[in-house]
């Protein structure tokens, strides 16, 4: 048995009191045994946990507050075999009171990371501890920019898990964090579309939609990732953005439509293909080529639209012409109904008689009373012009008809 194990056995009562959360019992043990707390606080059990670590992990805030009066920063920074120190385990567990107390004493604790460069903020964020996240950001907002060894920020992972309340808090503190890429070249949007929560994707794009067409190291956009992961709701949301490059080609010479063809048959795959087709998505082999079928469809559509417009215009014209015809018929009926008076008839006959007499006298002066005019036959016709004859006959017949009807006439 080594000296470390002997020391732990010797001070077993101390660790037992800390683990039970009984502060009064702990004080009695320390007083009766005359223990050196500064020394005891550096001791670790088989799991590599110090007494302060045990109290912090179990949220024994009174014991933590009591022990902090006897410890130094080096004791707080001792890591367990889980690769966590006292502050990190409190943040990861969501123990807000202990986190605040430790930050009040040593604000720099929020930047101490584990061997994978995971920060306390990251650990608290992925667990959904919003109050702890805000407490850490209040102490040092720059800790939001700490990335893990794989290049991911806390926003990458919380977006993937669909933790909307954490995503909003992180973006509010630092909107530019959205554009940070991990070692695969993926932004937080690439991670978000792998999940199921459309609200997270929408929150990011409302903040900064310039990342919509960002590519990872394999040339994949968010649309590629969402299609490959078979997320129909996410795909439909992305297609609503006009700035989306729907036919982006990745390094494997694939568009989103090519990836959709590889999906396992099912309702989700069908929905994705239907949405992509309606939005005009193409296979990579057709991108940039003249699409005769699409052009023909557009031409037919234009012709149908033009014909429809012409038919509508013709119908409007027909209605106007019909209206004019009705008006003319109405005027004609009103004119026919106007009675011809005796004065009008007298004037007409007087005019005809005058013209006839004038024509005969002129003819007599020219040829003499005993000579016949060479054109007498034609002159007689010309003395009473045909229109006047027809009109006189029309008047006579009209007057006779009115007499038969019992009306007073000429």
């Amino acid at each position: 048995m080594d000296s470390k194990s002997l020391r732990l056995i010797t001070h077993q009562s101390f660790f037992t009191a800390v683990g039970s959360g009984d502060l009064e019992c702990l004080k009695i043990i320390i007083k009766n045994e005359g223990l050196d707390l500064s020394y005891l606080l550096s001791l670790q059990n088989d799991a590599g946990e110090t007494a302060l670590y045990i109290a912090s992990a179990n949220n024994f805030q009174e014991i933590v507050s009591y022990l902090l009066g006897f410890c130094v920063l080096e004791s707080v920074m001792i890591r367990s075999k889980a690769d966590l120190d006292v502050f990190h385990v409190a943040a990861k567990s969501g123990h807000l009171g202990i986190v605040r107390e430790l930050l009040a004493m040593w604000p720099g604790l929020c930047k101490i990371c584990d061997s994978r460069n995971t920060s306390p903020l990251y650990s608290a964020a992925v667990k959904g501890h919003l109050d702890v996240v805000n407490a850490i950001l209040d102490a040092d907002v720059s800790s939001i920019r700490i990335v893990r060894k794989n290049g991911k920020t806390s926003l990458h992972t919380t977006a993937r898990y669909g933790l909307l309340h954490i995503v909003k808090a992180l973006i509010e503190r630092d909107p530019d964090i959205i554009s940070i890429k991990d070692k695969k070249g993926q932004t937080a949007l690439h991670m978000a579309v792998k999940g199921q929560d459309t609200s997270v994707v929408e929150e990011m794009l409302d903040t900064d939609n310039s990342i919509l067409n960002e590519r990872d190291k394999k040339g994949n956009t968010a649309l590629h990732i969402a299609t490959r992961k078979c997320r129909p709701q996410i795909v439909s949301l992305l297609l609503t953005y006009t700035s989306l490059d729907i036919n982006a080609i990745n390094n494997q010479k694939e568009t989103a439509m090519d990836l959709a063809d590889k999906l396992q048959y099912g309702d989700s795959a069908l929905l994705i293909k239907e949405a992509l087709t309606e939005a005009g998505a193409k296979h990579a082999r057709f991108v940039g080529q003249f699409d005769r079928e699409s052009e023909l469809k557009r031409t037919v559509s234009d012709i149908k639209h033009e014909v429809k417009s012409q038919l509508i215009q013709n119908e409007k014209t027909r209605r106007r012409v019909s209206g004019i015809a009705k008006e003319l018929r109405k005027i004609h009926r009103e004119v026919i109904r106007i009675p011809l008076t005796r004065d009008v008839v007298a004037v007409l006959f007087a005019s005809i008689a005058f013209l006839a007499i004038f024509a005969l006298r002129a003819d007599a002066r020219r040829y003499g009373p005993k000579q016949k005019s060479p054109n007498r036959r034609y002159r007689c016709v010309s003395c009473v012009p045909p229109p006047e004859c027809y009109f006189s006959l029309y008047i006579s017949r009209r007057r006779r008809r009115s007499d038969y009807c019992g009306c007073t006439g000429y």
Side-chain angles (χ1 to χ4, degrees), residues 47-49 53 79-85 88-89 92 114-116:
E49 301 168 346
Y53 184 99
R79 295 183 186 179
S80 67
K81 290 184 178 180
D83 202 19
L84 302 175
D85 58 28
H88 204 144
V89 72
K92 185 176 182 179
D114 63 13
S115 57
R116 292 174 296 182

Side-chain angles (χ1 to χ4, degrees), residues 341-359 383-385 388-389 391-392 395 410:
T341 62
R342 296 180 180 179
D343 294 336
V344 173
V345 175
V347 170
L348 289 173
F349 275 101
S351 299
I352 294 170
F354 176 78
L355 289 173
I357 294 171
F358 181 79
C383 73
V384 181
E388 286 80 347
C389 293
F391 192 80
S392 300
I395 296 300
Y410 177 68

Side-chain angles (χ1 to χ4, degrees), residues 22-280:
D22 191 344
L23 179 59
E24 295 302 322
C25 180
L26 177 62
K27 289 180 178 180
I28 292 172
I29 291 173
I30 293 173
K31 181 179 180 181
N32 292 341
E33 296 184 11
L35 301 176
D36 183 3
L37 280 179
S38 59
Y39 165 73
L40 289 175
L41 290 175
S42 63
L43 292 180
Q44 296 172 272
N45 60 16
D46 293 338
E49 301 168 346
T50 65
L52 191 59
Y53 184 99
I54 294 171
S56 180
N58 289 281
N59 200 24
F60 298 149
Q61 187 170 352
E62 290 183 348
I63 293 180
V64 170
S65 299
Y66 176 74
L67 295 178
L68 284 176
F70 303 94
C71 84
V72 293
L73 178 60
E74 288 73 14
S75 300
V76 176
M77 294 172 61
I78 296 173
R79 295 183 186 179
S80 67
K81 290 184 178 180
D83 202 19
L84 302 175
D85 58 28
V86 173
F87 179 75
H88 204 144
V89 72
K92 185 176 182 179
S93 302
H95 301 155
L96 181 60
I98 296 175
V99 167
R100 286 176 173 172
E101 190 166 356
L102 290 169
L103 285 175
M105 297 179 67
W106 300 292
L109 288 173
C110 61
K111 286 190 173 183
I112 298 176
C113 304
D114 63 13
S115 57
R116 292 174 296 182
N117 210 48
T118 302
S119 67
L121 174 65
Y122 182 98
S123 297
V126 298
K127 292 291 185 179
H129 302 312
L130 180 60
D131 292 337
V132 174
V133 168
N134 286 327
I136 294 174
L137 293 176
D138 289 340
D140 189 350
V141 72
S142 65
S143 60
I144 199 173
R145 292 272 178 162
I146 298 175
V147 298
R148 305 180 75 195
K149 286 187 175 180
N150 59 9
K152 285 181 169 53
T153 64
S154 53
L155 183 62
H156 279 88
T157 307
T158 53
R160 174 66 180 85
Y161 292 164
L163 301 175
L164 180 60
H165 61 300
I166 303 296
V167 169
K168 286 184 175 181
L170 295 173
I171 293 176
E172 184 179 354
R173 297 296 184 110
D174 187 0
D176 293 336
I177 193 177
I178 296 177
S179 59
I180 295 178
K181 293 185 176 183
D182 61 15
K183 289 193 173 181
K184 293 181 179 179
Q186 295 183 342
T187 65
L189 180 62
H190 285 92
M191 300 297 292
V193 298
K194 296 177 183 179
Q196 303 279 358
D197 195 343
T198 57
S199 58
V200 173
V201 177
E202 195 168 4
E203 178 69 24
M204 290 186 178
L205 292 176
D206 287 346
T207 303
D208 183 9
N209 61 13
S210 65
I211 62 172
L212 183 61
N213 296 313
E214 285 292 326
R215 300 170 179 263
D216 61 15
K217 290 187 175 180
K218 293 183 178 180
N220 292 313
T221 64
L223 183 61
H224 284 97
I225 302 295
T227 303
R228 191 177 67 232
K229 289 290 184 179
C230 199
R231 303 289 190 255
Q233 293 180 341
I234 303 293
V235 170
S236 297
L237 174 61
L238 294 175
L239 291 174
T240 60
Y241 290 86
T242 56
S243 58
L244 176 70
D245 185 0
I246 191 173
N247 291 314
I249 302 175
N250 62 15
N251 297 349
Q252 287 73 41
K253 306 301 180 182
E254 295 172 324
T255 63
M257 183 62 82
D258 293 310
L259 295 175
D261 288 341
K262 297 179 179 180
L263 295 175
Q264 185 177 0
Y265 181 80
D267 292 339
S268 296
L270 292 175
L271 288 174
I272 290 175
K273 289 181 181 179
E274 182 180 353
L276 289 172
T277 302
E278 289 180 356

Side-chain angles (χ1 to χ4, degrees), residues 6 71 107 312 397:
L6 286 173
C71 84
I312 294 173
R397 292 182 64 187

Side-chain angles (χ1 to χ4, degrees), residues 310-327:
Q310 189 64 39
L311 289 174
I312 294 173
Q313 186 63 32
N314 290 346
E315 179 63 19
K316 292 180 179 179
T317 302
R318 188 190 67 78
R319 291 176 182 176
R320 287 197 294 269
V321 170
S322 177
I324 294 172
K326 290 180 180 179
E327 289 296 325

